[in-house]
C-alpha cells in the first residue's frame, strides 16, 4: 500500500507556496519524495525554497505574478526545464477581497477573478498540454467551502471558487481517458493569513468554530495527506472530484 502514495522522482509545481496552505502542501509532496518548484509573487519565495533545500528536499522558487500571461508562461517553461519534466500541478495561489455586494468595486472583482480563476484555468491548460504530450499527469486545484456556499461580503471569491470547481469537472471529462487526473480540494476554515480578519472578528470566529465538528480551524499540515493522495497513483480512478478538507463543516 505504501507505494501507492510514493512520489519519488515526481516533479511538481505548487503555486502560492511561499506561505499558508500551499506551503503545507508543497512540504507534504516533498516528504512523499517529489521535487517541487514553488510559484509565488511573494519576495520571500526564493528564501522559502532555500529553506526547504536546507532541510534536504529538492525545491526551487520562481517569483511570478500568476495574473500576468507572459510571466506565467515563462515561469512554467523555466520550471519544466529546471526539473527536467513535470508530473504534478497544484494550483493553490489565491486572494480574497471583502466588501458588501452593492459596494464591491469592479477593480477588486477583476483582481480576484484573474488570480483565483483565470490563472488556474491557464495553468491547467499549460500543464495539460505538457501531460498530453508526455503520457499523463496529476492536477490538484484548490476550491473552497465557497464552491458550495455564497458566503457574506465575498461575491468575487465565491464566484471564482465556484468556477474552480466547475472547470475541474470540465477538464476531467476531457482528460480522464488520457491518463490525466484533475481533482480539487475544498478547504474549510483554515488558520492562515487569508483569514486574519475572520479570526480577529470574535463574533464570526465563534459562529464558525461552533459549526466545525472537529472543533478547530484547519492548519496547512491538514492539507498534506489529501494533496499527496490526489497527486499519487492512489487516486488514479478519481476524476473531477471536489473533496472537502473541513473538519466536517460541510456536513452540518
Ligand atoms: N485559508 C482558508 O481558510 C482557505 C479556505 C478555502 C480555500 N482556501 C484557498 O487555499 C489557497 C491558499 O490559501 P491560504 O489561506 O494559504 O492563503 P495565503 O494568503 O496564506 O497564501 C496565498 C499565497 O498565494 C500567493 N499569491 C497570491 N496572488 C498571487 C499571484 N497573483 N501570483 C503568485 N502568487 C500569488 C501569495 O503571495 C501567498 O503566498 C487559496 O487558493 C485559497 O483561496 C483557503
Amino acid at each position: 500500500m505504501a507505494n501507492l502514495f510514493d512520489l519519488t522522482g515526481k516533479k511538481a509545481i505548487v503555486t502560492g507556496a511561499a506561505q499558508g496552505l500551499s506551503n503545507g502542501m508543497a512540504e507534504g509532496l516533498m516528504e512523499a519524495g517529489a521535487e517541487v518548484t514553488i510559484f509565488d509573487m511573494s519576495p520571500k519565495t526564493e528564501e522559502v525554497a532555500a529553506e526547504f533545500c536546507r532541510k534536504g528536499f529538492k525545491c526551487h522558487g520562481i517569483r511570478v505574478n500568476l495574473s500576468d500571461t507572459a510571466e506565467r508562461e515563462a515561469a512554467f517553461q523555466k520550471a519544466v526545464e529546471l526539473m527536467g519534466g513535470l508530473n504534478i500541478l497544484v494550483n493553490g495561489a489565491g486572494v480574497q477581497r471583502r466588501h458588501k455586494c452593492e459596494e464591491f468595486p469592479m477593480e477588486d472583482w477583476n483582481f480576484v477573478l484573474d488570480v483565483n480563476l483565470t490563472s488556474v484555468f491557464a495553468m491547467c491548460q499549460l500543464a495539460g498540454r505538457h501531460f498530453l504530450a508526455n503520457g499523463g499527469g496529476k492536477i490538484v486545484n484548490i476550491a473552497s467551502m465557497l464552491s458550495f456556499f455564497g458566503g457574506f461580503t465575498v461575491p468575487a471569491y465565491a464566484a471564482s471558487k465556484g468556477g474552480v470547481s466547475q472547470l475541474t469537472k470540465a477538464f476531467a471529462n476531457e482528460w480522464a481517458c488520457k491518463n490525466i487526473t484533475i481533482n480539487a480540494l475544498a478547504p474549510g476554515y483554515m488558520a492562515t493569513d487569508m483569514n486574519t480578519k475572520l479570526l480577529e472578528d470574535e463574533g464570526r470566529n465563534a459562529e464558525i468554530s461552533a459549526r466545525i465538528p472537529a472543533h478547530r480551524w484547519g492548519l496547512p499540515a491538514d492539507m498534506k495527506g489529501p494533496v499527496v493522495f490526489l497527486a499519487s497513483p492512489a487516486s488514479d480512478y478519481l476524476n473531477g472530484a471536489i473533496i472537502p478538507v473541513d473538519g466536517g463543516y460541510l456536513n452540518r
Side-chain angles (χ1 to χ4, degrees):
M1 280 299 283
N3 288 344
L4 276 180
F5 300 92
D6 184 17
L7 298 180
T8 305
K10 300 294 181 190
K11 327 274 186 193
I13 291 173
V14 184
T15 75
Q19 64 176 51
L21 302 185
S22 295
N23 188 270
M25 292 192 286
E27 187 168 58
L29 295 178
M30 287 184 276
E31 285 168 352
E35 176 176 352
V36 168
T37 299
I38 293 172
F39 278 19
D40 204 299
M41 68 189 298
S42 164
K44 61 186 179 189
T45 304
E46 291 87 351
E47 180 47 33
V48 170
E51 183 56 30
F52 277 126
C53 291
R54 284 195 283 277
K55 290 181 185 166
F57 297 123
K58 277 192 186 161
C59 189
H60 319 271
I62 297 181
R63 215 183 299 181
V64 50
N65 177 2
L66 289 161
S67 295
D68 184 298
T69 304
E71 273 191 42
R72 186 173 61 225
E73 291 180 355
F76 183 84
Q77 295 312 330
K78 190 174 166 192
V80 172
E81 277 167 30
L82 264 176
M83 297 191 288
L86 185 72
N87 310 101
I88 299 159
L89 167 67
V90 180
N91 281 310
V95 290
Q96 177 63 290
R97 289 290 180 272
R98 297 174 189 277
H99 308 279
K100 288 180 182 164
C101 280
E102 65 273 26
E103 292 165 6
F104 210 93
M106 278 312 291
E107 195 188 355
D108 281 3
W109 168 271
N110 289 332
F111 173 71
V112 171
L113 269 290
D114 274 353
V115 180
N116 290 10
L117 185 58
T118 306
S119 86
V120 171
F121 170 78
M123 286 297 293
C124 288
Q125 211 176 36
L126 286 170
R129 287 179 189 143
H130 180 87
F131 295 157
L132 287 169
N134 290 280
K138 298 248 167 195
I139 300 178
V140 185
N141 289 330
I142 303 305
S144 167
M145 288 296 101
L146 294 183
S147 297
F148 307 105
F149 305 135
F152 283 91
T153 71
V154 289
Y157 187 86
S160 71
K161 293 299 184 176
V164 165
S165 150
Q166 290 304 93
L167 76 78
T168 300
K169 296 174 203 170
F171 277 115
N173 288 339
E174 291 191 31
W175 290 348
C177 61
K178 311 277 187 187
N179 201 29
I180 299 172
T181 68
I182 170 163
N183 296 287
L185 295 173
Y189 284 85
M190 317 297 275
T192 66
D193 283 3
M194 184 175 278
N195 282 329
T196 307
K197 281 188 189 155
L198 272 184
L199 286 159
E200 284 170 354
D201 178 338
E202 277 183 31
R204 282 289 287 142
N205 188 335
E207 212 173 80
I208 291 164
S209 301
R211 194 191 148 136
I212 305 173
H215 290 314
R216 67 170 178 87
W217 287 56
L219 296 169
D222 291 315
M223 300 294 289
K224 286 184 179 181
V227 79
V228 168
F229 170 55
L230 290 184
S232 69
S235 59
D236 278 352
Y237 200 57
L238 256 81
N239 304 93
I242 316 298
I243 303 178
V245 185
D246 64 347
Y249 185 90
L250 201 58
N251 306 325
R252 293 286 282 265

